[in-house]
């Protein structure tokens, strides 16, 4: 298989743009970390939504489990390329009973790095492989669904740092009107940004109807390539109402927003801003869980009213829980790695027994060895067999300096930490490891 030419879609690109790519790498993990881990003890409640609006949502199925199908340096794989690696592992993915695979950004990007600096949306050819390999990988994992990583907060010009957009160009005589007027590059003539700025790229004006139409057309082209779900990148950068609009236009089967913040109220407020049209990654749960396991501060996992302290304690049906992703893992330039293998398994024991939709990181499943892969697979099977879903009910029995213990839906129990605990008569141990155990009835 010939290697992908890393510069084929960036002819004449200024070398100064490499600095912008590096800026993107350095900013992602610390975009806006939000408040301290103590903040989830607040007792705010989410804004109410009309039940009919939620019913029309793009939230997958309550029992779904996601696999993140890449890590930060996956783009460096050649002969085979990353899409070919995904296809080669299709049977393993199906056997594990994953329902979705989250693919990396599919479009051409500046110097074809990791895809988060997109240039030519319609050219599905970058460091992960070409369009043919992408479509082959999507077909290979079927009936597991494919989620595309959608990067539309910002965009890069084809040849320069300016607004020379093509494939597709925006339907306007002066494409500077596609760029927010307060963008750091100083070239934008559009409306002010509706979210946070991204200095490494040109912030797109989502108020502009031509920009909206181009994004909606882009999503439809990705559906034609085989994608059926979206993961919206960096949604702090533009108003959540536009994600709701794009989902109404494209009707994905699942949608997840990356609202990077450890304050669960802010994450839930973003979900509300989409009118319930998108789920969100539960960064608050990851933040609190990491602190609880690192420091044996298991009391952090319970609010004063007895609920989980992450976003799953507010609106679990709209939360995707995770332990690690491409921005936090050790191969990222600025990692925020969760912890060693034992701690990773403890975290997954929590995720797979609790509400929210679990997302497993590629490297945990494929690179941490057969024992951890087998245990994660067993947790997926246990969750599905006992009917744990995004809306399961958690009864937290203990949360102190030595342990966390909970019974979920009255039929599955879990304990984290070194202190002893057992759920009592009627339960038997289903699986256990260092500082964790799961029981079932």
């Amino acid at each position: 298989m010939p290697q992908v030419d890393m510069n084929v879609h960036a002819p004449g690109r200024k070398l100064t743009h490499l600095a912008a790519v590096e800026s993107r790498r350095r900013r992602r993990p610390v975009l806006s970390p939000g408040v301290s881990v103590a903040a989830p003890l607040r007792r705010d409640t989410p804004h109410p939504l009309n039940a009919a609006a939620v019913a029309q949502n793009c939230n997958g199925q309550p029992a779904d489990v996601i696999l993140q199908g890449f890590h930060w340096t996956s783009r460096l794989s050649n002969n085979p390329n990353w899409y070919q690696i995904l296809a080669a592992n299709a049977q393993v993915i199906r056997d594990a009973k994953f329902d979705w695979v989250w693919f990396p950004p599919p479009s051409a990007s500046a110097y074809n790095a990791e895809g988060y600096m997109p240039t030519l949306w319609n050219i599905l050819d970058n460091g992960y492989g070409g369009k043919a390999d992408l479509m082959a990988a999507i077909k290979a994992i079927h009936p597991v669904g494919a989620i595309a990583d959608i990067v539309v907060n910002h965009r890069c010009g084809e040849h320069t740092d300016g607004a020379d957009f093509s494939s597709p160009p925006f339907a306007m005589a002066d494409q500077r009107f596609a760029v927010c007027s307060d963008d750091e590059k100083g070239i934008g003539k559009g409306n002010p940004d509706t979210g946070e700025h991204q200095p490494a790229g040109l912030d797109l004006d989502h108020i502009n109807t031509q920009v909206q139409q181009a994004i909606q057309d882009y999503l439809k082209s990705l559906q034609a390539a085989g994608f059926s779900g979206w993961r919206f990148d960096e949604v702090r950068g533009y108003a959540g109402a536009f994600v709701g609009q794009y989902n109404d236009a494209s009707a994905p089967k699942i949608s997840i927003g990356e609202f990077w913040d450890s304050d669960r109220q802010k994450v839930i407020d973003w979900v509300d801003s989409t009118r319930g049209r998108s789920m969100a990654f539960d960064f608050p749960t990851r933040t609190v869980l990491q602190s609880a396991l690192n420091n044996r501060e298991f009391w952090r996992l319970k609010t004063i009213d007895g609920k989980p302290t992450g976003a799953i304690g507010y609106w679990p049906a709209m939360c995707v829980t995770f332990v690690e992703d491409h921005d936090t893992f050790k191969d990222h330039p600025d990692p925020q790695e969760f912890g060693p293998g034992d701690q990773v398994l403890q975290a997954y024991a929590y995720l797979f027994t609790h509400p929210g939709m679990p997302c497993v990181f590629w490297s945990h499943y494929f690179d941490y060895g057969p024992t951890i892969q087998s245990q994660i697979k067993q947790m997926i099977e246990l969750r599905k067999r006992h009917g744990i879903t995004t809306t399961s009910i958690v009864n937290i029995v203990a949360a102190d300096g030595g342990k966390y213990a909970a019974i979920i839906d009255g039929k599955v129990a879990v304990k984290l930490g070194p202190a002893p605990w057992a759920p009592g008569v009627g339960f038997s141990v289903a699986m256990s490891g260092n500082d964790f155990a799961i029981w079932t009835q």
Side-chain angles (χ1 to χ4, degrees), residues 264 282 285 307-316 319:
R264 63 179 182 167
D282 193 345
T285 286
K307 296 180 180 179
T309 47
I312 58 171
Y314 277 177
W315 199 359
C319 295

Side-chain angles (χ1 to χ4, degrees), residues 109-121:
S109 65
Y111 292 93
N112 286 329
E114 58 284 325
Y116 289 102
M117 297 293 291
T119 51
L120 311 178
W121 284 345

Side-chain angles (χ1 to χ4, degrees), residues 66 102 231-232 256-259 261 267 279-284 311 318-322 325 359:
I66 303 168
W102 162 17
R231 178 265 186 188
F232 285 94
I256 315 160
E258 182 210 27
F259 192 92
D261 206 303
V267 174
M279 305 174 77
F281 283 101
D282 193 345
F283 284 92
M318 304 300 288
C319 295
V320 173
T321 55
F322 69 104
D325 70 11
C359 180

Side-chain angles (χ1 to χ4, degrees), residues 317-332:
M318 304 300 288
C319 295
V320 173
T321 55
F322 69 104
V323 179
E324 206 83 87
D325 70 11
H326 60 293
D327 281 327
T328 63
F329 195 53
K330 59 188 175 184
D331 64 343
H332 191 281

Side-chain angles (χ1 to χ4, degrees), residues 22 147 197 245:
E22 187 62 21
I147 299 172
H197 299 310
Q245 176 181 328

Side-chain angles (χ1 to χ4, degrees), residues 33 46 74 78 88 101 104 165 167 182 198 206 210 212 222 225 305 309-310 337 353 374 399 421 426 429:
S74 294
N78 281 290
V101 174
F165 302 120
S167 192
D182 50 356
Q198 170 47 261
H206 289 259
Q210 284 87 358
Q212 294 172 10
L222 292 179
D305 55 350
T309 47
E337 191 175 6
T353 57
S374 175
W421 180 84
V429 175

Side-chain angles (χ1 to χ4, degrees), residues 170-172 207-215:
F170 294 108
M172 56 188 72
I207 297 175
N208 188 297
T209 56
Q210 284 87 358
V211 172
Q212 294 172 10
Q213 188 60 54
I215 292 172

